Amino acid sequence: SQESDLMTLGKPLHTVSVSRREVLAVGARGTLAATGAGLLGWTSAARADTYPSKPIRLIVAFPPAGATDILARAISQRMAISLGQQIVIENRPGAGGTIGLDIAARSPADGYNAYFCAMTNQAIAEHLYPKAAGSLVRDFDPVGLVANGAHMLNVHPSVPARTVSEFVAWLKANDGKVNYASQGNGTLSHLETELLSQRIGVRLVHVPYKGSSGALPDLIAGNVSFMFDSVAASMPHVKSGALRALGVAATQRLPILPDLPTIAEGGVPGYDVDNWFGVYLPKGSPESAITRLNDEITKALANPELQTLLGRNGFASAHGPASRLAQVTAQEIEKWGRVVKSANVRI
């Protein structure tokens, strides 16, 4: 399956270590004892000054096997090979990602506690959970953008529309009567639908579920009319004919679906949703760690095999330096704050 491809890439790596007995043996070889001890001391000091000298903890604020977790594992495996150290994934889900965010924000700023962030979801959560302890802007140093994982607009076959423009016309003709599914109140699939509603000036009926697994059966059964969802979750049902894909919620078309227009291309000007993912470190982390991790993200995303697997699951490589991640973070927080406020979304 598509997810199993990425999960294979994301299996933990094992580092090779030298046993204490082997190290002590170097210092017990006759006349080389003093020299061996000196060499060992120099090597240990050099390793202490070289980042990374131990495994890196990578916090993911969503459960295992979800899109964020799969992406984090696929990329961190490639990074670990180049770094020569394990990257240990720690899943801390809950409260719209704010539990993992808070844990990461309180972690030591030593370069060994990184946060793999579903940044667009987190930008939304900053407005829905105002009492959350952590903040992407206040408590973190940006490392680099990683990818964009666009959602698809899927409708039940009973919907009499085969293009985005026809769909918009149908919504306007049935203002206030059409219901839609989401992955939950305050999720991206909810807010990007609210953004669509605002752009075209119609009222919609929201039916929230606990994730795609709860929403898709009702959408396939026709109990709800449409939903924005990930490519990985959507494609099997689109291919089988159970659902019809009308467009992609992104600023650019997906390489895997070159004939599927963006929502803006389909007739909703200004609809500019991108689902960003990035890596952060706690505020005050060493600049050397930020630079090294950004370099390793660049190397990992340049791998052709990884690019193919990411593309197959609807992710597009979107790497950028720390300054670009900081810029996008601020823009996303500002943009989704407007949507949350105008749609009067509450948790």
Side-chain angles (χ1 to χ4, degrees), residues 157-226:
S158 63
V159 173
R162 295 190 172 273
T163 65
V164 173
S165 60
E166 291 177 356
F167 181 64
V168 170
W170 178 71
L171 291 178
K172 290 182 176 180
N174 293 275
D175 188 14
K177 301 176 182 178
V178 178
N179 57 13
Y180 72 93
S182 82
Q183 297 168 350
N185 195 32
T187 61
L188 178 58
S189 64
H190 173 200
L191 270 296
E192 61 195 343
T193 313
E194 290 293 341
L195 181 61
L196 175 67
S197 165
Q198 293 175 17
R199 288 286 188 270
I200 64 177
V202 300
R203 294 164 298 164
L204 300 168
V205 181
H206 180 212
V207 184
Y209 293 80
K210 293 183 178 180
S212 297
S213 59
L216 282 171
D218 266 10
L219 178 59
I220 292 169
N223 296 326
V224 288
S225 296
F226 73 97

Side-chain angles (χ1 to χ4, degrees), residues 13 49 55 74 108 135 146 161 203 283:
L13 299 174
D49 293 337
S135 164
V146 173
R203 294 164 298 164
K283 182 71 76 175

